[in-house]
């Protein structure tokens, strides 16, 4: 094995390992016992099964693999593996993204504090006040100082889990009780990789929501795509995405400038990022960011609309295997993800998934609902029943096409407590055409 073409991957999907091998890389894989698959066992050149979120378990294995066979860089594009990949890079001076920068992405309160420490931050119209939530009284104090509404959320969770809008003093007691009930529980109902522990309070930003998929080349930040997000009106669950976002060029440029400045301030030099923001009254405001690819099949949308594979770039750039991208990649199509949702009940049957996947313009279909599953009122992303990703001639057409595929092909039948049955449907995708410049 040649260390110069060897990567240590901390946690991975089958797709990540497969693409690393297609690039010609030797793959040393650290994988969680609950995540090992036959394809990973077959493709990885070296596989070590351990809890890769535990540095005490990772460090001795990393030292062993550094000695033999050796590796060029450690990386992860899955949320639980990011911090320890950074620690490995620091341990051996490999130059990849290190722990401190990664922690600023992972810990939302650390991110706010870091941004607030920048000279002149108090004059930034997009700055957001934030504080830790340690006691019930913290909610009242924050509201008194910064006003209502405000947001309560975990410092390091994903998928809109545990996010609450406190509209006034009357909401504080219920939010506090819910937060206390969540502390010490798993962050999702699928991967159970780590626990919810710490929460923060931050100012609420009114305005439409977008995400930015970017890639950084030695400090040159390329905004690959601006993604339009469809979010539940009362909850923070994400109901769909579309690229390119339907925005005028002046607004696009303000978003690009905001994200590039943020990435500079946070200290990222290389690699893929997924940054979520809102267009507030004073311009773009960063809500959170991650030094990994997005979820919800957004990378598939970017590939379908722009022909750019962000996973391939994340793996290939440290080895010089992919070319730098232009500052403003041009889309050749539109692409959209639409969610399947339902009112509460129980899943009776699931049909039409293969039919949907075979339809024209469909990039992928992922249905998580199974017969017998309980369907909850929508709380966060895990309560959706499936996702359908499609392309179209433009964004409008792709948004429509996603709903058509769901309506025409997918049959998830739900039964209620009263015996009534109905079909899951495509979640609403409200237009964001009226966005202030």
């Amino acid at each position: 094995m040649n260390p110069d073409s060897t990567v240590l991957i901390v946690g991975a999907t089958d797709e990540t390992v497969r693409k690393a091998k297609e690039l010609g890389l030797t793959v040393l894989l650290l994988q969680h016992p609950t995540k090992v698959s036959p394809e990973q066992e077959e493709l990885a050149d070296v596989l070590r099964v351990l809890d890769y979120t535990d540095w005490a378990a990772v460090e001795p294995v990393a030292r062993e693999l550094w000695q033999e066979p050796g590796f060029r860089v450690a990386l992860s594009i899955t949320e639980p593996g990011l911090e320890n990949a950074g620690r490995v890079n620091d341990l051996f001076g490999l130059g990849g993204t290190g722990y401190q920068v990664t922690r600023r992405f992972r810990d939302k309160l650390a991110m706010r504090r870091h941004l607030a420490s920048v000279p002149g931050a108090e004059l930034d119209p997009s700055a957001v006040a934030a504080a830790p939530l340690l006691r019930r009284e913290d909610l009242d104090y924050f509201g008194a100082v910064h006003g209502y509404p405000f947001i309560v959320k975990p410092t390091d969770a994903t998928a809109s889990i545990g996010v609450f809008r406190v509209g006034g003093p009357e909401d504080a007691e219920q939010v506090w009780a819910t937060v206390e009930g969540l502390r010490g529980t798993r962050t999702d109902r699928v991967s159970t990789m780590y626990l919810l522990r710490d929460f923060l309070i931050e100012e609420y930003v009114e305005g439409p929501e977008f995400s930015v998929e970017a890639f950084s080349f030695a400090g040159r930040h390329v905004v690959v795509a601006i993604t339009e997000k469809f979010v539940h009106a009362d909850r923070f669950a994400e109901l769909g995405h579309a690229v390119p976002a339907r925005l005028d060029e002046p607004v696009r440029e303000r978003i690009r400038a905001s994200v590039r400045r943020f990435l500079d301030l946070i200290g990222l030099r290389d690699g893929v990022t997924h940054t979520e923001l809102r267009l507030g009254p004073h311009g773009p405001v960063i809500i959170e960011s991650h030094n990994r690819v997005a979820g919800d099949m957004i990378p598939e949308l970017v590939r379908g609309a722009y022909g750019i594979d962000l996973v391939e770039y994340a793996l290939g750039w440290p080895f010089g295997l992919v070319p730098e991208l232009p500052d403003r990649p041009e889309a050749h199509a539109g692409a959209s993800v639409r969610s399947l949702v339902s009112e509460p009940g129980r899943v009776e049957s699931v049909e039409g998934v293969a039919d949907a996947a075979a339809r024209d313009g469909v990039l992928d279909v992922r249905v998580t609902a199974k017969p017998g599953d309980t369907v909850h009122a929508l709380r966060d992303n895990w309560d959706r029943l499936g996702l359908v990703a499609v392309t179209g001639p433009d964004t409008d057409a792709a948004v429509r096409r996603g709903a058509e595929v769901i309506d025409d092909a997918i049959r998830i039948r739900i039964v209620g407590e009263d015996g009534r049955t109905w079909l899951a449907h495509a979640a609403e995708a409200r237009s964001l055409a009226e966005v202030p410049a």
Side-chain angles (χ1 to χ4, degrees):
M1 296 183 189
N2 180 2
D4 289 338
S5 59
T6 299
V7 60
L8 177 68
I9 303 180
V10 184
T13 63
D14 291 356
E15 178 194 32
T16 300
V17 178
R18 183 168 59 251
K19 288 188 175 180
K21 295 301 296 180
E22 290 171 354
L23 285 166
L25 297 175
T26 299
V27 174
L28 315 180
L29 176 62
L30 308 186
Q31 186 58 289
H32 195 275
T34 64
K35 301 295 181 181
V36 179
S37 72
E39 185 169 5
Q40 293 168 23
E41 291 176 327
E42 178 183 351
L43 291 178
D45 297 276
V46 176
L47 172 64
R48 294 285 188 272
V49 180
L50 72 164
D51 180 358
Y52 63 73
T53 68
D54 180 0
W55 178 241
V58 169
E59 182 181 6
V61 175
R63 289 186 182 276
E64 171 199 339
L65 295 174
W66 175 251
Q67 291 298 319
E68 181 63 38
F71 49 89
R72 171 86 168 270
V73 70
L75 60 82
S76 181
I77 53 175
T78 185
E79 188 79 13
L82 293 168
E83 290 186 16
N84 281 340
R87 285 188 170 104
V88 173
N89 285 327
D90 291 342
L91 182 64
F92 301 115
L94 300 180
T97 303
Y99 174 77
Q100 288 299 331
V101 171
T102 298
R103 189 62 188 161
R104 290 173 197 152
F105 283 98
R106 287 271 299 121
D107 186 327
K108 299 173 181 66
L109 184 58
M111 180 197 82
R112 292 288 181 214
R113 286 172 167 167
H114 179 76
L115 295 178
S117 71
V118 175
E122 69 278 2
L123 302 176
D124 185 350
S126 70
V128 173
L133 176 55
L134 304 175
R135 304 172 304 161
R136 161 67 180 79
E137 293 75 18
D138 294 335
L139 297 171
D140 298 328
Y141 180 79
F142 194 91
V145 173
H146 300 288
Y148 296 89
F150 59 79
I151 296 297
V152 170
K153 64 183 181 182
T155 59
D156 62 354
T158 61
S160 301
I161 293 166
V163 181
F164 306 98
R165 183 181 184 272
V166 181
E170 67 279 2
D171 296 336
E173 198 65 45
Q174 180 60 50
V175 169
W176 174 253
T178 305
V179 165
E180 286 297 276
L182 286 172
R183 290 190 202 269
T185 65
R186 295 294 176 182
T187 60
D188 62 63
R189 296 179 289 281
V190 178
S191 64
T192 64
M193 291 293 289
Y194 42 91
L195 298 174
L196 285 172
R197 290 191 177 91
D198 300 323
F199 285 74
L200 76 151
I201 315 169
E202 68 180 21
E203 289 181 282
Y204 176 73
V205 179
E206 185 70 55
E209 191 167 340
F210 301 86
S211 71
V212 172
E213 324 317 322
F215 203 94
S216 299
F217 302 90
R220 186 175 73 88
H221 309 302
V222 174
V223 171
V224 178
I226 300 173
T227 305
E228 190 174 327
K229 300 172 78 68
F230 310 129
V231 182
H232 192 276
D234 301 316
R235 300 283 186 171
F236 292 90
E238 296 174 350
L239 301 180
H241 311 273
V243 297
R246 293 166 287 186
L247 293 168
D248 292 335
E249 184 55 31
V251 180
R252 291 177 181 276
E253 190 53 41
R254 293 180 74 185
I255 290 174
R256 291 188 192 104
S258 177
V259 170
R260 286 169 178 154
R261 178 176 180 272
F262 168 78
L263 294 175
D264 279 338
L265 292 176
I266 216 76
L268 186 93
R269 297 279 300 165
D270 292 279
V272 67
T273 50
H274 166 66
T275 303
E276 300 178 16
L277 60 87
R278 285 195 171 206
L279 281 178
H282 304 292
V285 179
I286 305 298
I287 302 300
E288 60 185 65
S289 188
H290 310 268
N291 59 321
R292 57 160 171 80
V293 295
D296 271 8
M297 297 198 284
I298 292 175
E300 283 79 359
L301 301 188
V302 173
R303 192 163 62 244
Y306 291 85
I308 296 169
D309 189 327
L310 291 172
V311 175
E312 182 179 276
Y313 263 81
L315 295 164
W317 171 244
F319 298 90
L321 298 175
V322 291
E324 290 197 32
L325 293 169
D327 282 342
R328 289 171 177 77
E330 291 290 332
H332 57 77
S336 177
V337 165
R338 301 295 300 270
S339 299
L340 280 143
V341 297
S342 170
E343 61 185 272
R346 178 177 54 81
V347 178
E348 187 174 71
S349 60
V350 177
E351 298 175 347
V353 175
D355 178 17
R359 302 257 174 145
D360 290 342
V362 174
L363 296 168
D364 201 355
V365 177
R366 299 178 189 174
V367 170
T368 54
K370 303 182 299 298
D373 284 355
T374 298
V375 179
H376 298 278
L378 202 65
R379 298 163 293 177
D380 51 51
N381 292 2
W382 296 114
D383 289 320
R384 303 170 308 189
L385 305 182
L387 301 173
V388 174
V390 302
T391 59
D394 56 27
T395 304
D396 287 335
V399 171
R400 290 193 301 269
R401 181 61 178 152
E404 290 169 358
V405 170
I406 289 172
D407 292 342
D408 293 347
I410 299 179
R411 296 287 182 269
I412 301 177
R413 185 162 295 281
I414 314 296
V415 58
E417 290 185 358
D418 59 0
R420 181 175 59 92
T421 67
W422 62 90
L423 295 177
H425 58 89
E428 182 183 8
R430 292 182 297 162
S431 173
L432 295 174
E434 297 299 324
V435 175

